[in-house]
Amino acid sequence: MPIESDTTPVTLVAGLSREAIARVAGTLALPGTALIAHDLRALPLGYVIRQTRTVREGAEDFAIDGVPLDHGCATCTLRRDLLPMLRRLHRTPGVERIVVALDPAFEPESVAVEMAGTIVEDDDLPAGTASDDVTLRATIVAIDEETWLRDATGDRTLHEADLATVEDERTLAQLAVAQVRFGDLLVIEGSVENDHYRAAQLSAVLRRINPAAMQQAVGPRQSVTIDQLIVSLAALRPESRRGRPTTPFDPLLDGCPPLVGDCGIEMVVFEADRPFHPERLHDALDALLDGVVCSRGRLWLTSSPDHLLWLESAGEALGVSRGGRWLAARTDAESAGIDPIARAMAAARWDDEHGDRHSSIVAVTHHADTADIEDALTAALVTDDEIARGAAYLASLPSPFGDVHQDPCEDSTVAARDITAEETTR
């Protein structure tokens, strides 16, 4: 892979507002910049609208094209259109940097993963990934101070919020939180009411979701200036994401978020060195859906002793999926590629009998009683009496998760709020 100085820097711009994304992306369009924007609003007609703008000293090239859907999939279309374009722009004389304005329905992390891992097959390009030619410098997320917290704590789907013209079961809250988690710079557009408490409360939420991200406030419907962007991007913290994908073994408190409350925003940090009872945990998860902005964590269940389960919630949507095998359940060969930080975290809490198995959940709340959440999760752990009955008994406990989970579990209020049990390969 070429060293970074041989690649063209890319900045992703994301957010829930198409107009705010355009304002930030437009500010970055200095001479030597190629700007790409995809618009999904034409999906019902069978194509994606692509705008390209190349800015040079004293001149600009601008084009709008309709990109036909690749077997009906917007993500596949973006993959087949954007990735080769990034590689071609790297080879275009006069292009010194690239800005990609994402449609509001896209999560920037998925685009970064495609850039790093998808082989581009094109006759006029050498085999390789987009990251062979470009480097993701930063992800900027545009945020509306007036609406973001409301959007991030509700249950509207993207279709209901008019961010998807076709049926999309993701919620606005899931998208809002995912964008912020992956951002390196958060540009916050103020409200016309100039509500100082709301501004402080939003800032407190964002600091707890992504403490490594820089925050830049601007006035209502105002464009951030190029000087502000240059200074903020130059001051990005070493621990900011810069395109690094999430793994279930990441530190849950990465970036050191404030643990004390501020403006009614609190954090719950739950740790346990014994497994959860599957059915009691399934019932307890309701506590993470009322008055909680978001949560995520690793789960150790009696019914899946070798598999880490990964929990994520945003607003009133929550999902549980398989996140790989615990290190203690892996062979030496399977453990060879484990990130050194994840290995160090596992070693720090290693137990002679259970290895690195544990449960850790971090939640950001705005209306919930943190003690109620901690009590509900504690009550879902297996008891001393259950542990005394032995490993075979614990493994036989009925489970709504994993291998024996039957979807949909219509008799569960939690399942109605989007709990899934998906198998992911590692």
Side-chain angles (χ1 to χ4, degrees), residues 32-92:
T33 301
L35 194 154
I36 310 168
H38 287 86
D39 188 330
L40 303 185
R41 286 177 291 185
L43 283 182
L45 302 178
Y47 60 91
V48 173
I49 299 171
R50 181 188 65 214
Q51 298 182 38
T52 54
R53 175 185 171 198
T54 305
V55 183
R56 298 181 176 86
E57 289 289 352
E60 290 189 12
D61 296 326
F62 183 79
I64 299 179
D65 299 289
V67 182
L69 280 179
D70 189 339
H71 55 270
C73 174
T75 301
C76 296
T77 303
L78 186 70
R79 178 190 303 131
R80 289 185 177 274
D81 186 65
L82 175 62
L83 301 184
M85 181 172 290
L86 292 175
R87 301 196 68 195
R88 291 191 189 97
L89 286 171
H90 167 70
R91 293 164 169 76
T92 301

Side-chain angles (χ1 to χ4, degrees), residues 188-208:
I188 306 167
E189 294 192 0
S191 64
V192 292
E193 291 89 354
N194 199 25
D195 188 328
H196 296 295
Y197 180 81
R198 179 165 58 194
Q201 185 181 53
L202 175 60
S203 180
V205 171
L206 299 177
R207 282 201 306 275
R208 285 155 180 79

